[in-house]
Amino acid sequence: DAGITQSPRHKVTETGTPVTLRCHQTENHRYMYWYRQDPGHGLRLIHYSYGVKDTDKGEVSDGYSVSRSKTEDFLLTLESATSSQTSVYFCAISESGASTGELFFGEGSRLTVL
Amino acid sequence: AQSVTQLGSHVSVSEGALVLLRCNYSSSVPPYLFWYVQYPNQGLQLLLKYTTGATLVKGINGFEAEFKKSETSFHLTKPSAHMSDAAEYFCAVSAYTGRRALTFGSGTRLQVQP
């Protein structure tokens, strides 16, 4: 199994509070991704990173920010959580990018915003 | 830009029957195509992928898919369903150029009846 750890695995928070989800990898892969999974929508890309301090937005980036100060860690921050951000969040890593390389997924972080 | 359409959010088959999960893609450049499987409360894992070369691709657990450019399709098949195949299946597309991220379909939940 790919060495990907997401934390926390479960979190319940209130509207307006900040939340940070952490993705930690032990594979030294260059690419890291944050997706959210919602019924009927599959997985949608929030942000991704192609190296330390190099990040870019995905299709559903509004309300989210990311940081990558080390190869192994990719943080997703909700500055002020809203109920529409209740979802399951998946981190993924890839050695060469999704074009030819496989994405390895973490086990997900379930976030509930009340 | 790329997109994926999975026809049928739920598919039910009998054990031993043929499994056919449909995927159509849209891409302005030659696509790379993937099928992922997700078991309950887990992350996604790769079933198979098409990048270049042979258009019939074999994956794990007896699954295969055929890339048909003329039909813009990448349907997933398995000759004989097993109870353990019950899961959610996602088709995804990426391109060599541009963003190195996957675009996923909305998923198809496969139910296998005894």
Side-chain angles (χ1 to χ4, degrees), chain A residues 31 33 35 37 40-43 45 48 57-59 90 96-103 105-107, chain B residues 32 34 36 38 41-44 46 49 51 88 90 94-96 99-107:
Chain A
Y31 293 85
Y33 308 83
Y35 284 88
Q37 182 178 20
H41 292 278
L43 280 81
L45 182 67
Y48 72 106
K57 296 179 179 181
E59 288 87 353
F90 285 96
S96 59
S99 55
T100 56
E102 177 179 351
L103 263 62
F105 283 82
E107 295 194 341
Chain B
Y32 296 93
F34 305 80
Y36 280 79
Q38 183 182 34
N41 299 314
Q42 294 186 23
L44 281 69
L46 183 69
K49 63 180 180 182
T51 52
E88 189 154 22
F90 293 93
S94 75
Y96 181 75
R99 176 186 297 160
R100 297 271 185 110
L102 290 180
T103 299
F104 286 87
S106 56

Side-chain angles (χ1 to χ4, degrees), chain A residues 18-77:
Chain A
V19 176
T20 295
L21 305 180
R22 179 184 185 230
C23 178
H24 177 79
Q25 61 148 327
T26 58
E27 306 296 325
N28 202 36
H29 283 353
R30 178 183 176 188
Y31 293 85
M32 298 186 74
Y33 308 83
W34 278 108
Y35 284 88
R36 61 177 287 174
Q37 182 178 20
D38 304 288
H41 292 278
L43 280 81
R44 292 178 291 176
L45 182 67
I46 305 171
H47 283 278
Y48 72 106
S49 169
Y50 47 95
V52 173
K53 299 190 187 302
D54 292 324
T55 64
D56 202 356
K57 296 179 179 181
E59 288 87 353
V60 291
S61 60
D62 287 349
Y64 301 95
S65 62
V66 291
S67 65
R68 191 170 178 198
S69 58
K70 298 183 291 185
T71 298
E72 58 266 34
D73 289 326
F74 192 34
L75 304 181
L76 177 71
T77 297

